[in-house]
Amino acid sequence: MAEQQCACPKCDCSVDAQSIEKDGQKFCSEACAIAHTDGSTGCGHNCSCGK
């Protein structure tokens, strides 16, 4: 299986079979999966995708 990217628009993290799946898309973290509605500015992987 080819490496896939997190479905969060600004995130560059890769996802795999153990990643969080929501609405048919894969996310690298819960913060990305909820579109950073918790106020987070990143996903916890040295990424500022929530800004």
Side-chain angles (χ1 to χ4, degrees):
M1 187 171 128
E3 190 172 285
Q4 293 181 310
Q5 189 170 320
C6 179
C8 180
K10 295 180 184 177
C11 190
D12 293 326
C13 295
S14 59
V15 294
D16 57 27
Q18 284 76 44
S19 297
I20 297 166
E21 189 167 339
K22 183 178 178 188
D23 300 327
Q25 295 182 303
K26 296 241 183 198
F27 298 90
C28 70
S29 68
E30 185 65 31
C32 287
I34 62 169
H36 300 278
T37 54
D38 60 352
S40 61
T41 58
C43 59
H45 305 116
N46 296 323
C47 188
S48 300
C49 54
K51 288 185 179 180

